[in-house]
Amino acid sequence: MYSKVKVAPSILSADFSAMGAAVREIERAGADLIHCDVMDGSFVEPITFGGQMVKNIRKLTDLPLDVHLMIEHPKTQIKFFADAGADIITVHYEACKKISPTYLEEALKLIRSHGVKCGVVVNPDTPAENIYGVMELCDMVLVMSVFPGYGGQKFIPSSLENIKKVREYAASIGKGDMDIEIDGGVTCSNAAEIRAAGATVLVAGSAVFGASDKAAAISAIRGDN
Ligand code: DX5
Ligand code: ZN
């Protein structure tokens, strides 16, 4: 059986002018990781933040920092996020494959070389099979359940199939306990079917930050009894 389910609130839905308070609040509410959405205005339209934000958050919490790089040329930024104290860095298959056939593998190895866990992210319209070749190198796979760029979008149901495929493939290569993360449109209502499909890390932005009782929302998404 794979690892315990974890909830990673996405600070994309926090008030950026009060980030410290937001991080402390989700930590108190029982977050397992902090999901940091890095956007460059090119791979996706918005710009969010860079390594400096992660460095500042690192000083506030001991929770693992899960850095989701939605950027072109991720290799150029990995050092900054590793030095900032990221615990896991994920890079998009789609950004890497535009550059060269070997770029994704190089990026994953570069993350590892900094002593940081690494993962690949796959968009909803990319066949899950496309990432099988690098899963051996990964600590985690991030399956997108919305197109990246914005919080508050609706969950794309076909993502459940992608989770199942990635879960089955992980088991077939002897990595049955690998974390599979899902990101986008996760709510208290759809979390049970997402967990049943085999996801072990559930990112939730608006469902946590929009909740008046954040501890209850995190607990419901995690499926605590
Ligand atoms: C989307 C980001 C997500 C986003 C999720 O590009 O990668 O992490 O914050 O937000 P919700 O949970 O509101 O869909
Ligand atoms: Zn994300």
Side-chain angles (χ1 to χ4, degrees):
M1 197 50 188
Y2 35 84
S3 47
K4 161 183 176 297
V5 172
K6 298 179 272 282
V7 176
S10 166
I11 56 168
L12 182 63
S13 295
D15 177 348
F16 277 33
S17 71
M19 192 55 87
V23 167
R24 289 196 187 91
E25 188 179 14
I26 52 175
E27 179 166 32
R28 270 198 313 273
D32 298 292
L33 300 90
I34 303 214
H35 185 80
C36 304
D37 283 310
V38 177
M39 304 186 185
D40 67 351
S42 178
F43 181 69
V44 289
E45 285 179 326
I47 296 177
T48 54
F49 52 78
Q52 186 65 39
M53 175 70 91
V54 173
K55 194 173 177 179
N56 291 3
I57 292 173
R58 176 75 294 162
K59 292 181 190 152
L60 300 177
T61 179
D62 291 329
L63 287 179
L65 303 181
D66 167 32
V67 175
H68 175 192
L69 294 183
M70 286 162 274
I71 64 174
E72 311 275 8
H73 304 283
K75 274 168 68 181
T76 64
Q77 288 293 312
I78 284 165
K79 180 184 187 303
F80 299 109
F81 289 98
D83 290 350
D87 293 278
I88 180 155
I89 299 176
T90 58
V91 294
H92 268 264
Y93 167 86
E94 298 79 12
C96 295
K97 76 143 195 245
K98 271 202 277 185
I99 301 169
S100 85
T102 54
Y103 193 95
L104 174 57
E105 186 170 333
E106 290 160 14
L108 294 167
K109 287 181 174 163
L110 182 60
I111 298 168
R112 277 276 174 87
S113 76
H114 286 279
V116 175
K117 289 183 181 169
C118 68
V120 61
V121 193
V122 64
N123 271 348
D125 61 349
T126 299
E129 291 82 355
N130 291 17
I131 59 154
Y132 288 176
V134 295
M135 274 176 58
E136 199 76 61
L137 287 170
C138 292
D139 297 291
M140 184 172 84
V141 171
L142 168 47
V143 173
M144 290 306 297
S145 41
V146 298
F147 286 92
Y150 301 94
Q153 301 182 73
K154 208 170 161 336
F155 184 84
I156 299 173
S158 61
S159 314
L160 294 172
E161 283 311 308
N162 283 347
I163 300 170
K164 286 180 195 159
K165 282 189 192 168
V166 171
R167 173 58 66 208
E168 276 170 27
Y169 188 75
S172 79
I173 59 169
K175 296 184 70 144
D177 61 351
M178 181 182 211
D179 270 330
I180 298 176
E181 183 174 43
I182 185 89
D183 184 7
V186 174
T187 65
C188 297
S189 320
N190 63 16
E193 59 179 342
I194 293 169
R195 296 191 305 267
T200 49
V201 183
L202 279 64
V203 176
S206 39
V208 169
F209 282 97
S212 49
D213 186 344
K214 293 179 180 53
I218 290 171
S219 181
I221 292 166
R222 194 164 45 217
D224 297 347
N225 290 317

